[in-house]
Amino acid sequence: MRVGGLGLVILAAILWGISGGLGGFLMDKGWDPLVISFYRGAVGLVCILIWFLFQPTRWNKPLLLWSVVAGIGVAGNFVFYFVSISEGSVAVAATLMYTAPIFVLLISFIFRLEQASLFKWLAIGCVMAGVVLLTEVYSIGSEGITMLGLMTGLGAGLSYALFIFGFKYASRHGQPQGILTIAFLAFTIITLLFIDHSEAASVFYSPDLGWIILLGIFGAGVSFFLYVVGLKKTSPTSASIIAMVEPVTASLFGFMVLSELLTVTQLGGMAIILVTVTILSVNKS
């Protein structure tokens, strides 16, 4: 059971990593990051609805509230992530997104859900140092990521943290398929307000339609299903560590398909972030 659960989480993380690469690929072809984000979530909603129809669940007010919070988190995560990719690279954006556990810590400190400690503050400091090296913020705007790319990458991490909180509290009142259905419905409504509708409509007669559908299936539909099912068969700590496969997969995609290269300094920053977050996850267990 445990091995099977880890395998599902690994597969979900690989699909998430590939979806980041597909997003970069589509942006290179001229598609707007917001339109790509919208279709990633909208196609995901269709997939989750199929799961919900086979395993319906009851809804209640707390479930609706926290699921909408999770949906806001998903919207911010998808949009900020793809904007960050457009302003830098897939590898940098994916790694910045995985600063989410640090934001979870800070939010927990603010609302006194968790006690601060020297170890936790050191972990936050290490991640911040890793971000500086990864983004080369001291030479921002030269040839690497822009300031917008840096801020949206961190915004993707913060939004991911919001999704974690929303999903966690919603899980106390209902089943995952119900939570994700509401979350992705909220996502679709929110992003629909901000996208270029003419460009979104042009997707249906574009030769890239197949890639966009594949992005939604990989990046939201099948991947979330695999992750949630896998999470039931393994510990949250193990799942969070294994999910680090995502930025690695995204980096490999960026290198092999999009010809994106990282400097030695950036690779060192990426390693510091991923190792620190992994140690933090193990320590929390």
Side-chain angles (χ1 to χ4, degrees):
M1 289 283 285
R2 181 181 172 82
V3 174
L6 288 175
L8 293 177
V9 173
I10 291 172
L11 184 54
I14 290 173
L15 292 178
W16 282 330
I18 292 173
S19 70
L22 281 175
F25 169 73
L26 289 167
M27 278 181 271
D28 282 349
K29 300 188 76 172
W31 291 101
D32 184 75
L34 269 68
V35 172
I36 296 172
S37 303
F38 169 75
Y39 278 107
R40 178 182 178 182
V43 173
L45 173 62
V46 174
C47 297
I48 298 299
L49 273 173
I50 295 172
W51 181 18
F52 177 78
L53 291 174
F54 278 98
Q55 295 182 337
T57 181
R58 293 182 179 181
W59 291 340
N60 51 67
K61 287 183 178 179
L63 175 69
L64 288 169
L65 173 63
W66 288 111
S67 297
V68 169
V69 171
I72 294 171
V74 173
N77 178 257
F78 285 9
V79 170
F80 288 145
Y81 180 41
F82 285 132
V83 171
S84 183
I85 290 174
S86 70
E87 295 292 321
S89 68
V90 175
V92 172
T95 308
L96 286 175
M97 183 174 63
Y98 268 79
T99 58
I102 299 302
F103 288 111
V104 171
L105 261 187
L106 291 173
I107 294 171
S108 299
F109 292 168
I110 293 171
F111 291 99
R112 298 184 177 180
L113 301 174
E114 194 166 330
Q115 288 289 332
S117 68
L118 178 60
F119 170 78
K120 292 171 185 175
W121 282 116
L122 285 173
I124 291 172
C126 286
V127 169
M128 290 175 64
V131 167
V132 170
L133 295 175
L134 174 67
T135 60
E136 296 183 328
V137 69
Y138 41 81
S139 60
I140 206 123
S142 53
E143 295 181 356
I145 193 169
T146 64
M147 183 58 72
L148 176 60
L150 169 60
M151 298 308 295
T152 50
L154 294 174
L158 179 59
S159 299
Y160 191 6
L162 182 62
F163 167 76
I164 291 171
F165 275 107
F167 189 86
K168 174 183 176 181
Y169 287 107
S171 297
R172 298 178 180 178
H173 306 282
Q175 297 300 311
Q177 61 270 29
I179 298 168
L180 292 177
T181 298
I182 299 167
F184 276 99
L185 181 60
F187 162 89
T188 304
I189 294 170
I190 292 168
T191 52
L192 194 59
L193 299 174
F194 298 98
I195 63 173
D196 183 330
H197 295 98
S198 60
E199 182 175 332
S202 70
V203 166
F204 291 99
Y205 49 86
S206 165
D208 296 322
L209 176 61
W211 291 114
I212 290 174
I213 292 175
L214 197 64
L215 169 66
I217 293 173
F218 281 3
V222 176
S223 55
F224 272 83
F225 171 77
L226 292 173
Y227 185 78
V228 170
V229 173
L231 199 59
K232 290 181 179 179
K233 300 179 180 180
T234 188
S235 69
T237 300
S238 298
S240 64
I241 294 169
I242 293 299
M244 293 296 170
V245 171
E246 178 182 353
V248 176
T249 304
S251 301
L252 288 173
F253 190 105
F255 173 71
M256 298 176 68
V257 179
L258 305 177
S259 300
E260 295 177 350
L261 299 175
L262 294 178
T263 65
V264 174
T265 302
Q266 288 179 304
L267 288 172
M270 177 186 290
I272 290 172
I273 293 171
L274 297 182
V275 170
T276 303
V277 170
T278 301
I279 293 173
L280 186 64
S281 299
V282 171
N283 181 266
K284 286 185 64 134
S285 69

